[in-house]
């Protein structure tokens, strides 16, 4: 092949990738008899330097939300602008977008459609093959245990803002963590992830699996009955982690589309993709915030405990925050302000419940703090918010409480 200007090694690699795509078409889940070639296309190399500053995602969830809003005749330009996205980023299916922008866009669309379960609804309409390599490596696995293990190991290739951990003990569970992204800003994306994961397990085993437990860090959704009908009654909110748990005996359930030879090739491809993923840590502030949120309702969100959970000394934790121009009290105050506004947008949450979620023992303590942040009482703030909620909150990067915290 050198005679026509194509190095032999490059030609062989290209042919191997083409062969891999073709073989992927034979791996089809239950009820999906017509796979599309586009579902397994090879994505061009990405400019690592450009994307390493923020965690990115394939953006498929955002594109489904975009389609829903367009079908509902919603004006999309303002929603995209609020999220910092362009139509070109959404319409180019091979283009990655930042996880932060995806979360903000989902929030904007959920608000515009008045659909608090937007992520859950999107997850039920997604063609799972659009997960690409992540779907096919799961679909060619032999057991549900392998499916969950590989979903956890390779999920960050699709969404760099995710840190997944698969644990096996008396039960099997996948816990999802956030890297470089503020967890408290998200509800739609995480509910979409958990729904897709359960759909994947059900489709690949051909069984109507019901998890033994589903936990979310965020507060209760007003439409939780719909989630319970899909996941089962054991759905918990304001939990210490985002986690989906199955009975241990489900580990050995067979995958109906298993192909050990194809799986070996796909695992190698996933390992290569994982090795090429940009080294990313994100801001230390987001790590501190994500450690604080589940501890707030229990009154344990103190700097020594946060440092311990991050595996650092209290002095090192303070020094790393100082390098970003912050103190622990500023981060805590700013986070509480942002969460308070988000909770107040949910009319199903009482003021006393919000006080508890933010770690205050008395409503009066919340009222005093909120007036300091905003100049209004929580009730006054609630009356000024639109019924659909969260887009009325200030931008994630600069809650109104942050400026006040820095002035002190």
């Amino acid at each position: 092949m050198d005679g026509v200007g194509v190095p032999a090694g490059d030609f062989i690699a290209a042919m191997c990738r083409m062969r891999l795509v073709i073989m992927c078409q034979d791996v089809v889940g239950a009820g999906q008899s017509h796979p599309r070639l586009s579902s397994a296309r090879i994505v061009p190399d990405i400019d690592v330097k450009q994307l390493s500053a923020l965690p990115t995602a394939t953006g498929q969830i955002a594109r489904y939300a975009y389609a829903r809003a367009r079908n509902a005749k919603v004006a999309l330009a303002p929603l995209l602008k609020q999220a910092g996205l362009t139509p070109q980023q959404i319409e180019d299916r091979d283009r990655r977008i930042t996880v932060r922008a995806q979360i903000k866009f989902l929030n904007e669309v959920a608000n515009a459609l008045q659909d608090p379960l937007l992520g859950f609804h999107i997850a039920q309409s997604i063609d799972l093959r659009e997960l690409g390599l992540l779907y096919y490596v799961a679909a060619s696995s032999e057991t549900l245990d392998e499916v969950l293990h590989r979903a956890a190991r390779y999920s960050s290739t699709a969404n760099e803002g995710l840190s997944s951990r698969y644990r096996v003990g008396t039960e099997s569970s996948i816990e999802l963590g956030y890297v470089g992204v503020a967890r408290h800003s998200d509800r739609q994306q995480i509910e979409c992830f958990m729904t897709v994961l359960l759909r994947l397990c059900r489709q690949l085993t051909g069984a109507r699996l019901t998890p033994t437990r589903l936990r979310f860090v965020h507060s209760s959704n007003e439409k939780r009955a719909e989630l319970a009908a899909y996941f089962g009654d054991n759905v918990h909110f304001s939990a210490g982690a985002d986690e989906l748990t199955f009975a241990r005996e489900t580990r050995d359930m067979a995958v109906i589309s298993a192909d050990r030879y194809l799986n070996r090739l796909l695992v190698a491809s996933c390992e290569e993709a994982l090795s090429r993923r940009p080294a990313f840590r994100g801001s230390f502030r987001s790590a501190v915030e994500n450690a604080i949120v589940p501890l707030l309702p229990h009154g344990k969100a103190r700097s020594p405990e946060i440092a311990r959970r991050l595996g650092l000394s209290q002095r090192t934790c303070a020094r790393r925050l100082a390098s970003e121009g912050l103190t622990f009290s500023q981060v805590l105050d700013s986070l509480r302000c942002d969460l308070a506004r988000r909770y107040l947008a949910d009319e199903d949450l009482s003021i006393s419940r919000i006080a508890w979620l933010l770690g205050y023992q008395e409503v009066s303590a919340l009222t005093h703090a909120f007036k300091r942040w905003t100049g209004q009482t929580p009730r006054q703030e609630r009356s000024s918010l639109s019924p659909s909620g969260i887009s009325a909150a200030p931008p994630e990067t600069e809650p109104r409480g942050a400026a006040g915290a820095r002035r002190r």
Side-chain angles (χ1 to χ4, degrees), residues 234-287:
N234 210 1
V235 180
H236 303 274
F237 295 88
S238 301
D242 297 296
E243 185 178 41
L244 185 65
T245 304
F246 295 97
R248 193 182 189 283
E249 56 267 23
T250 62
R251 289 181 58 206
D252 297 325
M253 293 183 69
V255 174
I256 57 180
S257 54
D259 184 332
R260 69 176 67 180
Y261 301 105
L262 177 58
N263 189 252
R264 191 179 304 157
L265 289 172
L266 295 173
V267 165
S269 295
C270 286
E271 289 294 332
E272 181 186 0
L274 196 63
S275 69
R276 291 191 287 111
R277 187 168 59 90
F280 175 79
R281 185 176 66 187
S283 72
F284 188 61
R285 174 182 183 156
S286 65

Side-chain angles (χ1 to χ4, degrees), residues 112-129:
L113 297 179
Q114 298 186 23
D115 182 4
L117 287 179
L118 176 69
F120 173 66
H121 294 146
I122 286 175
Q124 294 179 77
S125 64
I126 287 176
D127 185 333
L128 293 178
R129 292 166 297 178

